[in-house]
Amino acid sequence: MKALLINASPKKNGNTARLVGLVADAFRQKGIQAETLCLGEQSYSFCKGCRGCYKTAECVQRDDMQKILEQMAGADVILIASPDYWGDVTGHLKVFIDRCTPYSKAHEPHAALPGGKRGISLALSAGEDPRECKAILMKIDNLFRTLGIKPAASFYTCGILTEQDLERDEGKLAEAAFFASEIAKALVP
């Protein structure tokens, strides 16, 4: 089994990466091949709104999106994790979602990922209001459904402002590690 874990943060080594790393470790312990990718290190442009993909099921732009979508096509499990940026996903993830327009079933022809994929959504917030994290999870799960990926699990944590906050809060770390372990067990009983 192969998993692609996407960190939607612009930071490669922040709190989101730490949570993704916990899941990657749990997956590897269960024999799941886990590859991580940080959207902040990729180079892709805004959707131009040209609707060229409505005719060809392919984006007219050539950048790292094709590579990311190929990695998604080859994965059985796809995890997307986003920190809370003003009550929403990061700009990196929003642009990524927009660039998935060739896969929208709102037009024919449309591109499609191979079937049978499962999705995991993660969100974290500096604030204490869980509604913002829940909105992020809903947006990621909506992307999964649009891409034909079955949402399988989600996790969020609030009150994480700095890397030190996550590392100092043993309860939050333990809760995230438990989630990672349980989802790994569920994927490989």
Side-chain angles (χ1 to χ4, degrees):
M1 181 175 290
K2 187 174 180 181
L4 176 64
L5 289 68
I6 299 173
N7 171 2
S9 172
K11 295 193 281 185
K12 178 182 179 179
N13 296 312
N15 288 321
T16 308
R18 177 76 167 108
L19 291 179
V20 169
L22 289 172
V23 176
D25 291 345
F27 280 10
R28 290 179 185 123
Q29 289 176 5
K30 278 296 206 176
I32 300 169
Q33 182 183 347
E35 179 180 0
T36 60
L37 178 139
C38 179
L39 291 183
E41 294 188 311
Q42 308 306 306
S43 178
Y44 54 95
S45 300
F46 293 104
C47 174
K48 294 176 180 246
C50 69
R51 295 190 178 186
C53 63
Y54 283 34
K55 298 177 182 107
T56 65
E58 290 183 19
C59 185
V60 299
Q61 300 184 78
R62 295 289 171 237
D63 51 26
D64 286 345
M65 276 301 294
Q66 289 75 27
K67 175 187 76 166
I68 299 167
L69 291 166
E70 284 173 18
Q71 290 173 288
M72 290 175 70
D76 302 298
V77 176
I78 298 166
L79 175 144
I80 298 177
S82 180
D84 173 1
Y85 275 35
W86 293 93
D88 208 338
V89 298
T90 64
H92 287 82
L93 183 53
K94 176 59 174 121
V95 172
F96 176 82
I97 291 168
D98 290 347
R99 288 291 303 280
C100 286
T101 299
Y103 291 80
S104 171
K105 295 175 181 114
H107 57 82
E108 287 295 338
H110 67 271
L113 293 172
K117 297 183 184 310
R118 290 176 279 179
I120 301 168
S121 53
L122 298 181
L124 65 155
S125 176
E128 296 291 343
D129 188 345
R131 292 177 295 182
E132 292 182 358
C133 283
K134 289 177 181 179
I136 291 167
L137 297 176
M138 285 176 41
K139 188 165 277 184
I140 294 169
D141 286 348
N142 184 56
L143 171 65
F144 285 151
R145 283 188 289 278
T146 299
L147 296 175
I149 299 167
K150 181 182 178 186
S154 62
F155 176 81
Y156 71 87
T157 187
C158 297
I160 305 296
L161 179 60
T162 69
E163 286 82 2
Q164 293 78 24
D165 290 342
L166 183 60
E167 291 302 323
R168 277 187 233 146
D169 192 326
E170 291 180 21
K172 288 187 189 303
L173 267 178
E175 184 182 14
F178 179 76
F179 168 80
S181 174
E182 290 301 301
I183 195 63
K185 280 189 232 174
L187 291 171
V188 182

